[in-house]
Amino acid sequence: MNIALLGYGNMGKEIERLAAEKNIVVKKIFTIENNLRAMAINKETLKDVDVCIDFSVPTAVVENIKAVSSFGKNIVVGTTGWYDKMKDVEKIVEKNKIGFLYSPNFSLGMNIFFQILYSTSHIFDKFDCYDPAIHETHHRNKVDSPSGTALTLGQIVLSQIRRKNKMYQETAHKQLKSDELHISSTRVGNVVGQHHVLFDSEADSIELIHTAKNRAGFAMGALIAAQFLKGKKGIYTMKDVITSF
Ligand SMILES: NC(=O)c1ccc[n+]([C@@H]2O[C@H](COP(=O)([O-])OP(=O)(O)OC[C@H]3O[C@@H](n4cnc5c(N)ncnc54)[C@H](OP(=O)(O)O)[C@@H]3O)[C@@H](O)[C@H]2O)c1
């Protein structure tokens, strides 16, 4: 199958490097230089492309989705930091009847971690002596904060622990309310991505940690997602990909 890459930074390059292993051909690469405001996306440049994969920047991704879907092509989105525009994107996808798959984290390990957190949080719901918090660390060039993955982890905790109702994403220059879940971030050096979920009590603390060692896991997950999405219509996430095996 053939793909087009939208964004040729760390992730775009890693996907290009690994594509051949999955018998996937990279037909076209859109970069900031050749694709400002999605102007390079048209019928001709998407010719023979089965699925597009976007790992660009939050300020470009929605324009890219709009342009790609207007030419009836399916798209996998790894870019984070745009989820406040989800309703608009859903409308674009439905109007153009394309296949759309997004995930804040394409790594197999993190998707297993999501499932572990569901069941763990469900247990902690019963023991209110434990207070949860989430912390993530990424390389200093990451533009959005907190990470999309940290927000997904936060949603999981909120969905399972009834005493927590909202996320608090700022530096806490105040006492947190008992129903607030603190999500904090550090930006430093070259860290690929680390997510901690902490459950703290007077007696002890329990920590779940996921550490990404390199970008290959994300890139492989995005390629597998593109294979899954070929020929499909509708909105999907990595959960659909993983449960399809
Ligand atoms: N879901 C996941 O599993 C996962 C994993 C890793 C990263 N991510 C996310 O994926 C995104 C990309 O990560 P990255 O590490 O590859 O970042 P990166 O190295 O900064 O690469 C992003 C690239 O997109 C380019 N770009 C900007 N506007 C564009 C446009 N209109 N069309 C095409 N390309 C454009 C940027 O160019 P300039 O630098 O010149 O602006 C940059 O080269 C980020 O949002 C990151 O948080 C997600």
Side-chain angles (χ1 to χ4, degrees), residues 137-139 190-195 210-213 218:
T137 307
H138 279 86
H139 56 89
N190 296 300
V191 181
V192 177
Q194 188 166 68
H195 291 85
H210 177 271
T211 305
K213 292 186 182 172
F218 303 122

Side-chain angles (χ1 to χ4, degrees), residues 154-213:
Q155 292 296 352
I156 294 171
V157 172
L158 294 189
S159 74
Q160 300 302 307
I161 301 188
R162 282 167 291 182
R163 60 188 177 278
K164 293 291 172 186
N165 291 316
K166 48 182 174 285
M167 293 186 235
Y168 189 81
Q169 300 175 23
E170 310 298 324
T171 299
H173 297 296
K174 61 157 203 168
Q175 282 187 354
L176 285 195
K177 295 188 183 125
S178 62
D179 70 337
E180 286 177 328
L181 170 68
H182 198 201
I183 310 230
S184 55
S185 306
T186 297
R187 296 289 171 261
V188 61
N190 296 300
V191 181
V192 177
Q194 188 166 68
H195 291 85
H196 289 231
V197 184
L198 172 69
F199 296 89
D200 188 67
S201 79
E202 247 182 80
D204 54 14
S205 64
I206 297 168
E207 271 184 89
L208 303 177
I209 302 173
H210 177 271
T211 305
K213 292 186 182 172

Side-chain angles (χ1 to χ4, degrees), residues 5-14 29-41 54-61 63-64 77-83 102-107 110-111 138-139 141-144 147-149 192 215 217-219 221-222 238:
L5 297 176
L6 295 144
Y8 194 52
N10 295 319
M11 283 302 299
K13 289 182 179 135
E14 190 67 1
I29 298 174
F30 297 94
T31 66
I32 182 78
E33 282 83 24
N34 69 19
N35 187 46
L36 200 58
R37 287 189 293 279
M39 305 242 267
I41 298 169
D54 186 300
F55 277 87
S56 61
V57 290
T59 48
V61 61
E63 284 300 317
N64 284 342
V77 173
T79 307
T80 55
W82 60 272
Y83 297 149
Y102 71 98
S103 175
N105 199 308
F106 279 94
S107 85
M110 181 51 86
N111 283 279
H138 279 86
H139 56 89
N141 295 321
K142 184 167 173 61
V143 291
D144 55 314
S147 68
T149 303
V192 177
R215 293 186 172 83
F218 303 122
M238 270 311 265

Side-chain angles (χ1 to χ4, degrees), residues 43-141:
K43 205 174 165 190
E44 193 50 38
T45 53
L46 292 182
K47 193 168 167 252
D48 299 329
V49 170
D50 298 303
V51 178
C52 297
I53 303 184
D54 186 300
F55 277 87
S56 61
V57 290
T59 48
V61 61
V62 178
E63 284 300 317
N64 284 342
I65 295 167
K66 229 186 251 176
V68 165
S69 52
S70 71
F71 294 100
K73 297 288 177 178
N74 286 0
I75 181 166
V76 168
V77 173
T79 307
T80 55
W82 60 272
Y83 297 149
D84 54 332
K85 309 213 174 61
M86 185 64 81
K87 287 267 167 281
D88 299 338
V89 168
E90 281 170 3
K91 279 184 201 150
I92 295 167
V93 170
E94 277 155 26
K95 185 176 148 214
N96 293 290
K97 299 187 173 46
I98 60 148
F100 176 77
L101 191 150
Y102 71 98
S103 175
N105 199 308
F106 279 94
S107 85
L108 172 65
M110 181 51 86
N111 283 279
I112 294 170
F113 193 84
F114 289 154
Q115 299 310 313
I116 292 170
L117 187 60
Y118 265 113
S119 31
T120 309
S121 299
H122 182 67
I123 299 169
F124 282 111
D125 182 45
K126 297 173 192 144
F127 301 100
D128 61 7
C129 52
Y130 285 94
D131 195 34
I134 292 169
H135 183 75
E136 54 96 352
T137 307
H138 279 86
H139 56 89
R140 58 186 305 133
N141 295 321

